[in-house]
């Protein structure tokens, strides 16, 4: 269940003395142009809702459909029963080795297993909502975790409770980005395919599991899931996904525009996913 969903959008005022081309354009188009011109003039990163490559399907946006220049804070979601952040059992964030980009393998004193599946690399870009999503959150930290292709969670699920793969934390760079190398998660009964994440103000906050800024989830698009789940190892995901939709999922059913990742790639070469997170 969502703890809150801040979907209020502040719109630019349109003054009566506006003239020329903008005066003749519909109000919504005029407002969009104003936002885009302001972002370009200030030399800021692309506004949330715009991607570096507009061919991504669906939009890799924290604010809705491609081309949207509106800034909306990412919805707060449950961390679920398997966070591994100390709030429900074990705390992996305090273990040496959790700060990493490749999360496919277990680390430390765990069993040393490797998660199998179709390769997935995902990049999360954290931006400041108070700035209109134009300012990247440099020096923040993002902790991610998700299930394996069989639907199990390391540290919790029988058979992989001694593993800690598919979990990791990184500090955002100057562009507010973190990139993780992983595998495509499976679909287990009752939940749409997703990746959990927690945003922290700093790496120090993350590795002590304190002062979480935001907790949410990334959703994966159906067409890509269908393709991946037709491959070996994902057999159980086919029936599970067939019983679900984004609109019926317990987390995403009240809106997923800010959480649906843009995904490109193939089974043979692996997939890349992107999502911008406004906090």
């Amino acid at each position: 269940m969502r703890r809150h969903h801040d979907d209020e959008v502040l719109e630019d005022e349109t003054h009566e003395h506006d003239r020329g081309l903008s005066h003749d354009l519909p109000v919504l188009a005029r407002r969009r142009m104003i936002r885009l011109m302001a972002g370009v003039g200030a030399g800021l990163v692309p506004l949330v809702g715009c991607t570096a490559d507009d061919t991504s399907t669906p939009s890799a946006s924290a604010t809705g459909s491609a081309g949207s220049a509106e800034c909306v804070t990412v919805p707060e979601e449950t961390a679920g029963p398997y966070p591994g952040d100390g709030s429900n059992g074990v705390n992996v964030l305090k273990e040496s080795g959790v700060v990493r980009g490749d999360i496919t393998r277990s680390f430390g004193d765990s069993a040393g297993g490797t998660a199998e599946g179709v390769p997935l690399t995902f990049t999360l870009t954290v931006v400041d909502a108070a700035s209109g999503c134009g300012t990247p959150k440099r020096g923040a930290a993002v902790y991610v975790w998700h299930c394996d292709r069989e639907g199990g969670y390391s540290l919790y699920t029988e058979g992989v409770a001694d593993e800690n793969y598919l979990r990791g934390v990184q500090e955002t760079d100057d562009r507010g980005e973190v990139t993780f190398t992983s595998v495509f998660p499976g679909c287990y009964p009752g939940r749409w395919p997703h990746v959990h994440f927690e945003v922290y103000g700093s790496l120090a906050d993350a590795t002590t599991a304190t002062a979480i800024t935001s907790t949410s989830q990334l959703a994966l698009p159906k067409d890509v899931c269908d393709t991946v789940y037709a491959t070996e190892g994902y057999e159980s995901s086919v029936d599970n996904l067939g019983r679900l939709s984004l609109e019926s999922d317990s987390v995403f059913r009240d809106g997923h525009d800010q959480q649906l990742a843009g995904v490109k790639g193939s089974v043979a070469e692996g997939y890349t996913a992107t999502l911008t997170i406004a906090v």
Side-chain angles (χ1 to χ4, degrees):
M1 248 187 113
R2 300 197 175 194
R3 293 196 286 269
H4 78 271
H5 188 170
D6 181 6
D7 57 2
E8 181 180 359
V9 178
L10 300 179
E11 298 182 339
D12 295 297
E13 295 182 358
T14 303
H15 300 287
E16 293 297 326
H17 60 261
D18 286 345
R19 292 294 185 269
L21 177 60
S22 64
H23 180 70
D24 298 326
L25 293 173
V27 173
L28 291 177
R30 197 158 64 233
R31 289 172 179 168
R32 182 176 297 176
M33 178 177 290
I34 290 170
R35 292 189 184 98
L36 292 175
M37 291 178 67
V40 173
L44 300 177
V45 297
L47 292 174
V48 180
C50 304
T51 62
D53 185 347
D54 287 336
T55 62
S56 297
T57 303
S59 171
S61 164
T63 63
S65 60
S68 171
E70 297 171 341
C71 178
V72 180
T73 304
V74 67
E76 285 287 312
E77 307 288 11
T78 176
Y82 313 117
D85 62 0
S87 62
N88 184 21
V90 66
N91 189 347
V92 74
L93 290 171
K94 293 185 177 181
E95 295 186 16
S96 176
V98 71
V99 180
R100 58 189 186 146
D102 187 341
I103 61 174
T104 56
R105 296 176 180 272
S106 289
F107 61 90
D109 296 330
S110 294
T114 300
E116 302 294 335
V118 173
L120 173 68
T121 299
F122 56 96
T123 297
L124 306 178
T125 303
V126 184
V127 297
D128 182 22
S131 72
C133 297
T135 303
K137 297 280 284 187
R138 178 179 60 184
V142 183
Y143 167 48
V144 301
W145 71 98
H146 64 82
C147 71
D148 58 25
R149 70 179 177 183
E150 287 82 25
Y153 281 87
S154 66
L155 303 177
Y156 293 92
T157 303
E158 183 178 359
V160 294
D162 292 332
E163 305 289 353
N164 57 22
Y165 55 48
L166 306 183
R167 299 177 183 272
V169 61
Q170 288 191 76
E171 183 178 46
T172 58
D173 62 17
D174 288 346
R175 295 174 295 182
E177 293 182 357
V178 290
T179 298
F180 293 93
T181 301
S182 189
V183 297
F184 205 95
C187 179
Y188 54 87
R191 277 306 319 276
W192 189 262
H194 61 282
V195 174
H196 293 268
F197 61 85
E198 292 174 345
V199 181
Y200 291 82
S202 68
L203 189 60
D205 285 346
T207 52
T208 54
T210 58
I212 299 173
T213 301
S214 181
T215 303
S216 196
Q217 299 179 26
L218 173 156
L220 293 161
K222 184 180 187 303
D223 59 343
V224 179
C225 292
D226 285 336
T227 301
V228 172
Y229 295 163
T231 65
E232 184 178 359
Y234 288 95
E235 289 82 3
S236 64
S237 293
V238 176
D239 288 339
N240 292 334
L241 185 67
R243 298 186 180 96
L244 294 167
S245 70
L246 281 164
E247 289 70 29
S248 67
D249 181 73
S250 60
V251 169
F252 300 123
R253 64 188 176 192
D254 58 348
H256 52 266
D257 288 348
Q258 290 80 50
Q259 297 157 288
L260 187 59
V263 180
K264 295 190 295 185
S266 66
V267 168
E269 297 183 0
Y271 289 88
T272 59
T274 55
L275 183 71
T276 301
I277 305 164
V279 298

